[in-house]
Amino acid sequence: VEEGTEFAKLHEAGELPLPSEEEEREMYWLANERLTQAGYIHYEISNYARQGMESMHNLGYWSDKQYIGAGLGASSYWLGDRFDNTDDMDAYIAADGNLNQIRTLVQKGTRELQMEECLFLGLRKMEGIDLEKYNRRFGDPFENEYKESFEKLKKEGLLTVEGGYLKLTEKGIDVSNYVFAYFIH
């Protein structure tokens, strides 16, 4: 429940109860069944679309694509680093286009952080993560870096490798945050 929203106010007042975790999962899989029957493709944990109509914007995030945000309050992701532009209009105008004055480094993209993000964001996609591409990018095979975590999650039936892609199983989708936590140090 997002703080400060009308939904949060109603929930706090007891006027809008939330479903149980079990009910939530049943609703998720019912929606999956109905959308699939209607011809929608389940391309990301929480998104469906007609063939060719997938959100390129969201897929960019899940696929670790770089982007530059321009303007007041914009965010950027470049060469593994995350930046934000100021949201102070006066400061933005006074900077007269000087990026050093309007942009702040939010997060330095260390190798470890980039590996983690590649895994937990990439696992949001139903196709999963191309392990060959991952290993080429980081120069250290996935199986060596995360062998213990992978073996445990595979044994629990939460992760699998199919056609060279690391992906969540149906059971893994239900506890995806639990799975993602194994790839964050």
Side-chain angles (χ1 to χ4, degrees), residues 35-44 47-56 59 126-127:
L35 287 165
T36 302
Q37 288 172 353
Y40 287 81
I41 297 164
H42 189 192
Y43 70 98
E44 189 262 330
N47 287 297
Y48 295 76
R50 296 269 187 207
Q51 181 72 41
M53 301 301 291
E54 299 88 347
S55 170
M56 300 311 291
L59 282 172
M126 299 311 290
E127 75 175 356

Side-chain angles (χ1 to χ4, degrees), residues 16-47:
L16 194 56
L18 294 175
S20 69
E21 198 171 312
E22 185 177 311
E23 290 170 319
E24 182 184 310
R25 296 321 309 159
E26 287 175 15
M27 292 186 316
Y28 178 90
W29 290 110
L30 178 61
N32 179 68
E33 181 183 325
R34 297 271 170 88
L35 287 165
T36 302
Q37 288 172 353
Y40 287 81
I41 297 164
H42 189 192
Y43 70 98
E44 189 262 330
I45 287 179
S46 59
N47 287 297

Side-chain angles (χ1 to χ4, degrees), residues 149-164:
S149 295
F150 172 68
E151 290 300 327
K152 178 181 181 349
L153 294 167
K154 183 178 175 185
K155 187 175 182 179
E156 291 179 27
L158 305 177
L159 277 180
T160 189
V161 174
E162 292 177 13

Side-chain angles (χ1 to χ4, degrees), residues 53-67:
M53 301 301 291
E54 299 88 347
S55 170
M56 300 311 291
H57 176 82
N58 288 357
L59 282 172
Y61 291 128
W62 313 146
S63 301
D64 200 39
K65 300 282 184 201
Q66 299 182 90
Y67 54 90

